[in-house]
Amino acid sequence: MSAETGLDQGRSAFRENRWTDAFENFRDADQRGGLPAPDLERLATAEILTGKMTTGLETLTRAHEEYLVVGDVVGAARCAGWMGMQLMFLDEPARAGGWFARGQRLVDELAEPDAVQGLLLVPMGLGKLYGGDPAGALQVFSQVADFGQRFQDKDLSALGLLGTGQATLMLGQAGKGLRMFDEVMVAVTAGELSPIPSGIIYCAVIGNCHLAFDLERALEWTAALDRWCSARPDMVTFSGQCQSHRAELFMLHGAWAEALMAAAAAQGLSVKGDPQALYGGYYQQGEVERLSGKLDDAEASYRQAARSGYEPQPGLALLLLARGDAQQAQLMVRRAAGTADAATRRNMLPALVEIELAASDLEAARRGVQELETLARECPMPMVRAVAGQADGAVRLAGGDPSAALKPLREAWRLWQELGVPYEAARCQALAGSACRALGDEASALMYLEAAHAALLDLGAAPAATWAAALLHEGMLDSGPTPDTAGLLTRRELEILQLVATGKGNRAIAAELYLSEKTVARHVSNIFLKLGLSSRAAATSYAYEHGLAG
């Protein structure tokens, strides 16, 4: 095949999003006789998208140099700008800064304004956005969007609108920012943008939807991103981030096994060339492990997530709480929330309220609820109303007003049910059960608590199931053995509990019942989980206290 034929095939493959074919044809043409600067740019894009980041940056450097040779200052500055942004995403600020400076020097040589000047404003906007100056970022990204419109550069217009939406969200105007995201996604889904800006916008929009508690938008755009990635099966960059977003949605919807699979896929893709997936892949894995009660595993996952440069919060603070260190959890979450931007802080508020309650600081918890209620008034989406109602009910219950707590808890439970978030729905049910008991309505209390306990068991949420079991048994301790108490266990579990109460170990029980030792261990674990117990001694005491020892 001639170099010219390979070049034509490479360009065709690039237009059709066949990145591997584009890479191979451009590479072959390059080896046969070199490539002009625009095709070197295309080759670099194909290499970056297929996970060959180092090679892609080398090719982009060559494109920059080739543009300089032919006197195309705009092309050279554009390559410098994208080099800087890729290096910024790789957390190499010194090299990124060098390329941005080179690009700016070239732009300063231009006799006439050009769209590339807007591109080189993007890193300044990002610096302000993540440096605690969202108002400054808003001004810069508005300029970026203006450059895009002036020069009819759709990529630049979209990036400017994305940054404007993010800054608006961080300034506390969630509804307005989310509407901007919808607008920018029109250009992405219509296929108007180049692949790398499209991927950046997809992932940024979904991440910010989660920050704003907009579960429905996050689900819609994640599905769109999944379709976009699936249509480009050889694409690595952005595919890992898609998997981490999928993991978060799976976790929220109670599909924890699927969440772990998606998190593992994100981790694998982060190694193959999508480093931005590192945080999400490990953080979401840690969240599932924490909620499942695998606290040591969760800590290891959070530590891996922290390698990305982002702090694994509020999961790490909630892990400390799960280990019983409410004071340290309180110090950690207060510090993290206190230094976060407005959007990130609001996302941390449910955990902040939970931890403040556990640390017995009712006034601090109330202040957190007030912030959530303000958000719910400004942006009354179902998930915002659910988290605000749940937090409000929990605080009112802790403050000794179960009557006032019941209404927001029931409403939050309804919203969580509609959103399909079973873990939080079950926690609301358990809190509602506690409120009913405090009001003397034991029948309703048992109904709520039994349903919550069963739901948490089905999820495999060991710590929360133990908490629900403890609440359930509070109403049974004075009544002696009851059908309800025994009904928590299956016939086989009752049989094994009786043998545990005689002092027999798992191996002896397995031999007596003709079961495997592994099966007995699983039954014992289920007994502990259902009854809210932590040891065989506690199980023995429980069996005798409730007339279940045989």
Side-chain angles (χ1 to χ4, degrees), residues 184-260:
V184 77
M185 287 302 295
V186 169
V188 176
T189 54
E192 297 174 358
L193 308 185
S194 303
I196 290 179
S198 293
I200 290 171
I201 291 167
Y202 260 125
C203 294
V205 165
I206 294 166
N208 280 278
C209 286
H210 282 293
L211 278 181
F213 298 107
D214 195 334
L215 184 57
E216 292 170 315
R217 267 190 177 90
L219 180 60
E220 181 178 345
W221 294 129
T222 299
L225 175 59
D226 194 24
R227 291 192 297 270
W228 187 72
C229 292
S230 297
R232 299 156 176 80
D234 53 352
M235 184 173 68
V236 173
T237 303
F238 307 120
S239 294
Q241 295 168 72
C242 177
Q243 289 297 329
S244 66
H245 292 312
R246 282 164 53 83
E248 183 169 10
L249 290 172
F250 276 133
M251 188 200 70
L252 283 170
H253 291 302
W256 289 0
E258 290 84 350
L260 289 174

Side-chain angles (χ1 to χ4, degrees), residues 256 287-298 322 460-464:
W256 289 0
E287 289 290 272
V288 174
E289 289 165 341
R290 175 177 62 82
L291 296 180
S292 301
K294 300 173 183 176
L295 303 187
D296 290 343
D297 291 342

